Amino acid sequence: MPTRTSTARWQGSLKDGAGNMRLASGAYEGSFSYLSRFESGEGTNPEELIAAAHAGCFSMALSNVLGKAGLTPNSIETSATIHLDMPAGITKVELSTVGDVPGLSEADFIKHAEDAKANCPVSKALAAIEITLTAKLAS
């Protein structure tokens, strides 16, 4: 399997400094600061990028689980909300997913979503914290 790399550079003190994060693929580059991480400043933050990674990983894992069950989703839309509580750090992730999957009951969709949550690589990496899941079919 391939390895993935991202880089970050920080300059200055924690509260007055600023940084930049970049994906090696070039798909994303953005600034971050104390304000964007711990308050409401412009720019991104590590937790937002972890949330994006978790939402993407989970959506792909759920598509895989559904495929193994002989189902092809029209779409899966997932959001991930990261809770950063200092000084403890990241304490919780809330996943919320809506799937458009023809021929599937809501109960079976939830069962498949729970399987994906347990087996997505990012969920496994975050296993030390609480991960909750809300799953429903699109109306």
Side-chain angles (χ1 to χ4, degrees), residues 9-128:
R9 180 175 183 175
W10 185 264
Q11 294 176 278
S13 68
L14 175 62
K15 287 198 173 184
D16 297 323
N20 184 279
M21 291 184 276
R22 179 177 37 168
L23 306 183
S25 66
Y28 173 79
E29 182 172 348
S31 64
F32 68 113
S33 67
Y34 182 90
L35 290 176
S36 71
R37 187 166 191 197
F38 300 111
E39 296 178 18
S40 296
E42 289 188 32
T44 191
N45 55 70
E47 292 74 27
E48 185 175 49
L49 297 175
I50 291 169
H54 202 177
C57 183
F58 172 84
S59 293
M60 291 179 76
L62 181 50
S63 180
N64 183 48
V65 168
L66 293 167
K68 288 180 179 179
L71 301 161
T72 302
N74 290 329
S75 66
I76 298 168
E77 187 169 332
T78 306
S79 67
T81 302
I82 300 276
H83 292 257
L84 177 63
D85 300 317
M86 296 310 287
I90 297 173
T91 58
K92 180 179 181 179
V93 179
E94 294 174 284
L95 292 172
S96 179
T97 192
V98 177
D100 180 359
V101 188
L104 187 64
S105 72
E106 186 103 7
D108 284 339
F109 180 70
I110 292 168
K111 180 184 81 163
H112 292 308
E114 288 289 347
D115 183 6
K117 180 186 96 168
N119 292 296
C120 126
V122 174
S123 289
K124 288 181 176 183
L126 298 174

